[in-house]
Amino acid sequence: EYNKLQDQIQIIHDDLKNMPEKLGHNRYDVVTCNPPYFKTPKQTEQNMNEHLRIARHEIHCTLEDVISVSSKLLKQGGKAALVHRPGRLLEIFELMKAYQIEPKRVQFVYPKQGKESNTILVEGIKGGR
């Protein structure tokens, strides 16, 4: 509404795992996601703010859920794009391959010159070689 795009954007408030049935299988050219970065922490390490805890940690959906659902939604040749953490790059590649998404591009993002990367952008193609 702020950007006057309410006629162009539809917000769906639902569980990610319901999206293939709700939106259709093999229909989309691109699926983009910024999933929770961290595996579920021990109770003592969890953020007290419930919204931050859910956004940052795999409480309601896992990395595998995100990649599995992305694969179901994508057409053959469609692209999946994720924003994540470098420490999970190998896991991302393994899961993408397990769900027929071939990793194609990786961009490391650095917070400052001389600092280590703290974010990665990963793109894969469903059914790619």
Side-chain angles (χ1 to χ4, degrees):
E1 290 175 2
Y2 178 80
N3 291 304
K4 299 181 179 33
L5 296 173
Q6 60 270 28
D7 295 335
Q8 298 175 39
I9 297 172
Q10 178 186 3
I11 305 297
I12 300 171
H13 186 94
D14 200 345
D15 190 318
L16 169 80
K17 293 167 237 150
N18 296 334
M19 291 304 103
E21 285 69 37
K22 190 167 249 181
L23 301 174
H25 289 254
N26 307 309
R27 291 190 55 204
Y28 298 91
D29 295 315
V30 178
V31 172
T32 303
C33 190
N34 183 4
Y37 293 147
F38 308 110
K39 294 184 183 263
T40 305
K42 297 175 188 153
Q43 193 69 27
T44 56
E45 297 172 356
Q46 291 187 12
N47 192 305
M48 296 305 291
N49 181 313
E50 179 185 9
H51 300 290
L52 294 177
R53 187 170 58 248
I54 291 168
R56 294 177 182 166
H57 299 280
E58 295 180 341
I59 293 169
H60 294 301
C61 79
T62 65
L63 180 57
E64 184 167 8
D65 293 335
V66 168
I67 293 173
S68 169
V69 168
S70 296
S71 181
K72 290 174 186 173
L73 292 170
L74 286 170
K75 297 176 183 176
Q76 283 292 81
K79 295 180 180 180
L82 300 177
V83 177
H84 221 288
R85 296 289 178 143
R88 297 195 64 192
L89 182 60
L90 183 58
E91 184 181 0
I92 291 167
F93 280 2
E94 289 171 347
L95 287 168
M96 283 181 139
K97 287 179 150 299
Y99 288 97
Q100 292 75 49
I101 299 172
E102 186 65 26
K104 292 294 185 182
R105 295 195 309 168
V106 177
Q107 177 69 53
F108 289 84
V109 180
Y110 301 86
K112 288 184 180 179
Q113 188 171 359
K115 298 279 186 184
E116 286 189 22
S117 169
N118 64 352
T119 304
I120 55 171
L121 308 174
V122 180
E123 183 181 83
I125 297 178
K126 182 176 178 179
R129 292 188 221 168

